[in-house]
């Protein structure tokens, strides 16, 4: 599935447990609300668990990778976890990942700055920033979800 300049294209496997119409509708609605119309947004289903630094603490439902210079973002979604989620959880997941797109430039800049630190300090600051980044995305997910909960 692909959203490009507000138009929805197709780029999904047929084996996925993800309903194209549901994801397409959510991504289009929330990318418009977050003014991401200039971005090329892609969704990639994954049949394997998504592994991140903190994935041993809780399952990772989705991950967002951005290329800021080209305004491209790919949201990878764990198909099996998605299939077992309710409507509200799915909406929250899409909002959360799109908030990462909104914040991606500053996130990239901070990670580049952290690379300049000595490795002993870098690890502690990276853990701190990953936590702050997720708390910020979750806060804005709550704000946006609450602001539009009746729609």
């Amino acid at each position: 599935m692909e959203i490009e300049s507000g138009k929805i294209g197709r780029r999904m496997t047929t084996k996925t447990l993800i309903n194209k119409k549901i994801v397409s509708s959510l991504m289009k609605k929330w990318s418009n609300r977050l003014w991401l119309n200039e971005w090329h947004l892609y969704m990639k289903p994954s049949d394997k668990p998504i592994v991140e630094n903190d994935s041993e603490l809780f399952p990772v439902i989705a991950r967002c990778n951005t290329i800021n210079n080209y305004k491209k973002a790919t949201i990878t979604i764990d198909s099996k976890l998605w299939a077992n989620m309710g409507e509200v959880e799915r909406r929250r997941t899409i909002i959360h990942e799109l908030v990462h797109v909104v914040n991606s430039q500053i996130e990239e800049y901070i990670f580049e700055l952290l690379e300049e630190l000595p490795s002993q300090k870098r690890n502690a600051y990276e853990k701190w920033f990953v936590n702050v980044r997720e708390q910020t995305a979750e806060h804005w997910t709550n704000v946006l979800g609450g602001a539009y909960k009746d729609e």
Side-chain angles (χ1 to χ4, degrees):
M1 201 236 53
E2 171 183 328
I3 297 178
E4 201 166 320
S5 302
K7 294 185 180 177
I8 298 169
R10 295 164 199 250
R11 189 183 268 192
M12 290 184 75
T13 63
T14 55
K15 293 193 254 183
T16 184
L17 299 170
I18 297 176
N19 183 313
K20 291 187 268 189
K21 289 181 182 178
I22 291 172
V23 176
S24 170
S25 173
L26 286 169
M27 285 185 66
K28 185 172 184 178
K29 177 191 289 185
W30 289 99
S31 64
N32 286 335
R33 288 179 174 170
L34 291 169
W35 292 49
L36 293 170
N37 297 330
E38 294 179 3
W39 281 77
H40 303 280
L41 302 173
Y42 304 89
M43 194 283 291
K44 180 177 139 187
S46 176
D47 294 331
K48 298 177 183 175
I50 299 170
V51 178
E52 289 191 354
N53 293 339
D54 52 3
S55 59
E56 70 276 355
L57 301 174
F58 52 88
V60 178
I61 299 163
R63 174 183 58 219
C64 181
N65 293 314
T66 58
I67 303 173
N68 289 306
N69 294 344
Y70 297 102
K71 294 196 177 218
K72 290 185 178 182
T74 301
I75 296 173
T76 304
I77 299 175
D78 183 314
S79 299
K80 292 174 187 163
L81 293 176
W82 181 269
N84 293 315
M85 293 169 60
E87 183 181 336
V88 173
E89 290 172 297
R90 289 175 176 172
R91 182 177 90 152
R92 287 182 57 77
T93 298
I94 296 299
I95 296 169
H96 181 99
E97 296 308 320
L98 290 174
V99 167
H100 281 302
V101 175
V102 172
N103 292 333
S104 63
Q105 237 174 345
I106 191 74
E107 290 177 6
E108 180 181 321
Y109 179 71
I110 290 171
F111 278 120
E112 286 175 11
L113 285 175
L114 292 174
E115 286 295 316
E116 301 298 319
L117 294 174
S119 63
Q120 293 170 333
K121 288 185 178 182
R122 183 182 329 128
N123 292 338
Y125 282 110
E126 280 179 356
K127 285 181 182 178
W128 167 81
F129 180 65
V130 166
N131 188 35
V132 167
R133 178 181 73 162
E134 289 305 317
Q135 287 178 2
T136 301
E138 197 56 26
H139 173 82
W140 284 111
T141 298
N142 290 335
V143 169
L144 292 162
Y148 290 99
K149 80 175 178 184
D150 296 331
E151 294 180 30

